[in-house]
């Protein structure tokens, strides 16, 4: 198939982790699994998938250390309010439009590059099979772990 989709990977990492009752002790994306921050696993899976032209992150005042870690890896951090996932996601999508955006929460330590490739491939095949008229309307595709969104062109 000749159709190649360009996309931006976006890591959602601006929340407070309030359900985990972490308080000010540690930012949720920096919790360790096998000695590594969980956001490192997410970043590595996205980077190693080879499917994205860039990786960005939605950070907030709640996650300044996570933002610093990701910036050190060359990730552009887009500042959001940190007042809720949906608000932060809307801010991120508005900032990046028009673009195809693969959105992933920062707390998926078990995410692998192969899973990212599989999800991306399925979406690409669905978009290709739908044809240009459907693609241009840019319906979002949702999976269990991420959101792949194509914003409409102005």
């Amino acid at each position: 198939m000749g159709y190649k989709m360009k996309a931006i990977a976006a890591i959602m990492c601006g929340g407070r982790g309030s359900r985990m009752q972490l308080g000010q002790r540690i930012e949720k994306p920096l919790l360790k699994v096998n000695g590594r921050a969980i956001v490192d696993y997410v970043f590595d899976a996205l980077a190693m998938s080879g499917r994205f032209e860039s990786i960005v992150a939605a950070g907030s005042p709640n996650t300044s250390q996570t933002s610093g870690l990701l910036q050190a890896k060359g990730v552009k951090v887009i500042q959001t309010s940190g007042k809720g996932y949906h608000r932060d996601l809307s801010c991120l999508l508005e900032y990046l439009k028009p673009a195809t955006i693969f959105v992933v929460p920062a707390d998926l330590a078990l995410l692998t590059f192969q899973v990212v490739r599989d999800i991306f491939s399925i979406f690409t095949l669905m978009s290709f099979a739908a044809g240009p008229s459907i693609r241009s309307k840019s319906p979002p595709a949702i999976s269990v772990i991420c959101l792949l969104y194509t914003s409409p062109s102005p």
Side-chain angles (χ1 to χ4, degrees):
M1 296 189 175
Y3 178 68
K4 275 244 189 224
M5 183 182 299
K6 289 186 177 184
I8 298 169
I11 304 170
M12 297 298 293
C13 56
R16 293 187 316 268
S18 57
R19 289 186 303 270
M20 296 182 74
Q21 300 177 345
L22 297 173
Q24 299 297 321
R25 293 179 292 158
I26 188 168
E27 297 171 9
K28 184 169 78 168
L30 298 180
L31 288 172
K32 304 281 187 195
V33 173
N34 286 337
R36 294 181 63 208
I38 55 177
V39 71
D40 281 335
Y41 289 100
V42 173
F43 172 81
D44 288 349
L46 295 170
M48 291 171 37
S49 75
R51 297 297 190 257
F52 306 104
E53 56 186 293
S54 64
I55 300 173
V56 301
S60 78
N62 302 320
T63 55
S64 59
Q65 292 175 2
T66 301
S67 295
L69 174 76
L70 290 170
Q71 286 171 330
K73 294 176 181 286
V75 173
K76 178 179 176 139
V77 177
I78 298 159
Q79 287 300 313
T80 64
S81 68
K83 294 182 179 176
Y85 186 88
H86 296 98
R87 225 183 239 185
D88 291 351
L89 180 59
S90 292
C91 176
L92 176 79
L93 297 177
E94 184 65 30
Y95 182 88
L96 293 173
K97 77 177 185 184
T100 298
I101 307 157
F102 189 89
V103 181
V104 181
D107 58 359
L108 297 175
L110 299 179
L111 185 66
T112 66
F113 74 91
Q114 190 59 53
V115 169
V116 171
R117 284 181 181 174
D118 290 348
I119 293 167
F120 195 84
S121 294
I122 290 167
F123 183 81
T124 302
L125 287 172
M126 287 172 36
S127 296
F128 184 78
S133 63
I134 298 296
R135 268 199 312 271
S136 65
K137 293 194 189 243
S138 308
I142 300 172
S143 79
V144 175
I145 62 166
C146 67
L147 167 76
L148 186 55
Y149 175 81
T150 304
S151 61
S153 299

